[in-house]
Amino acid sequence: MSYKKIIESGLRAAQDNMCGQDKIWSRYSHDKVDVGEVLAKVIRTLSSVFPLNLKLRALSIGSSDEPQFRILETAFRGGLYLLDINNCALNVVKERIKRQRTDHVITIEGDYNKIFLNAKSREDFFKEKLNSSEVHLVTLHHSLYYCLARDWLNIFDNLYSKFLAHKAAMHAVLMSSKSTSQSSTTWLYNHFAGKFFGVHDDQDLRAFKKKLQKQPAFKKAQVELRTNRIYFDVDDFKKFMAVVWMILLYPNVHKYSLKQREEITEFIYKKFYKTRHPLIQEQDHLVVYKGIKSKGLI
Ligand SMILES: C[S@@+](CC[C@H](N)C(=O)[O-])C[C@H]1O[C@@H](n2cnc3c(N)ncnc32)[C@H](O)[C@@H]1O
């Protein structure tokens, strides 16, 4: 294919929908393997403190069609609640629940900001959706992007004190907001969003960990963080660019002009695709253990 045609295919990928872009990311990166690995450690820690016959319960916030479904569904037989704003993603799970008779899995369509940042909605959600029963695990896998960083503490506070059982955990995963690698998704976002819109990534889970540790409400909690590096590469430039547009938040947040999109596409082609250089993502895992005395795994 000529250079012109390749660049055109990369530009066309900007029109793909986010669901499809996310599927490409899941397939050609090892993000889900990384999330699954830490999740398994959290579940292992939780399992060690409860009687074997207790059926555990979990809430996944921004679950999408729940890539960790097979892990969560088997471990949380007392109820697995999947909350997402996107009905499309939840319909995929609904079909699976019916087909595979996993009726301990419940889908809930809703906006987590509206639910957890408002006292009345929070109480209604707890009563009506969770049957007034606390959960042993809350996951926020790549979903805190959709909440202002200044609201995180409020959300964590509410989840910790009102939704978590007396022994429980929370697991959040997010792209690191700082990275020294010029091949990273963080660098790409900060470079182009900074150059064209004067903004940078302020969703810093590492700083948030320190903030949480200083809160009286979390004094007895174990608050742990680790950063893992994952790779993305695919032998199809259109697919490569589909993921780049998702990372650069085009078009929902930043509407790069055609000229800017051309500059980005040519940059990615030269820096990554032509030299078979994978895109790196540094991602932070934050785990909060509540009421667990032994050192929890992360
Ligand atoms: C990047 S995906 C992550 C999906 C999945 N947790 C994972 O780890 O692959 C983010 C998900 O959060 C959902 N989401 C975005 N804003 C939301 C909100 N305000 N309330 C609930 N879900 C939201 C999106 O619909 C999407 O399914």
Side-chain angles (χ1 to χ4, degrees), residues 124-178:
D124 289 350
F125 181 84
F126 186 67
K127 248 191 253 160
E128 289 159 21
K129 304 294 182 188
L130 300 190
N131 299 322
S132 300
S133 277
E134 284 127 350
V135 294
H136 304 96
L137 175 70
V138 170
T139 61
L140 288 143
H141 294 156
H142 292 300
S143 49
L144 280 174
Y145 306 113
Y146 312 99
C147 170
L148 294 174
R150 64 162 187 260
D151 289 331
W152 288 359
L153 185 57
N154 202 345
I155 293 211
F156 269 66
D157 235 344
N158 287 320
L159 289 171
Y160 189 83
S161 59
K162 301 193 171 67
F163 287 83
L164 285 188
H166 65 293
K167 289 181 192 171
M170 285 195 263
H171 178 205
V173 184
L174 211 66
M175 177 179 92
S176 305
S177 69
K178 292 184 186 71

Side-chain angles (χ1 to χ4, degrees), residues 24-40:
I24 297 170
W25 167 252
S26 302
R27 187 173 172 90
Y28 296 100
S29 76
H30 65 285
D31 169 43
K32 302 309 170 214
V33 178
D34 176 56
V35 174
E37 186 192 324
V38 179
L39 178 62

Side-chain angles (χ1 to χ4, degrees), residues 217-260:
F218 290 84
K219 206 169 156 223
K220 293 191 182 150
Q222 292 181 51
V223 184
E224 307 288 342
L225 186 134
R226 70 182 265 182
T227 303
N228 290 344
R229 179 174 270 210
I230 61 155
Y231 297 87
F232 165 78
D233 195 15
V234 53
D235 193 15
D236 175 329
F237 188 60
K238 186 165 184 272
K239 287 184 177 164
F240 202 112
M241 281 309 299
V243 163
V244 170
W245 297 123
M246 180 176 75
I247 286 156
L248 295 181
L249 304 182
Y250 175 85
N252 293 352
V253 181
H254 303 310
K255 296 199 188 328
Y256 304 91
S257 67
L258 179 60
K259 198 159 173 288
Q260 291 166 345

Side-chain angles (χ1 to χ4, degrees), residues 43 46 56-58 72-80 104 136-137:
I43 295 173
L46 286 176
L56 299 177
R57 294 158 51 79
L72 289 171
E73 176 271 312
T74 47
F76 295 89
R77 303 292 301 185
L80 170 60
H104 59 293
H136 304 96
L137 175 70

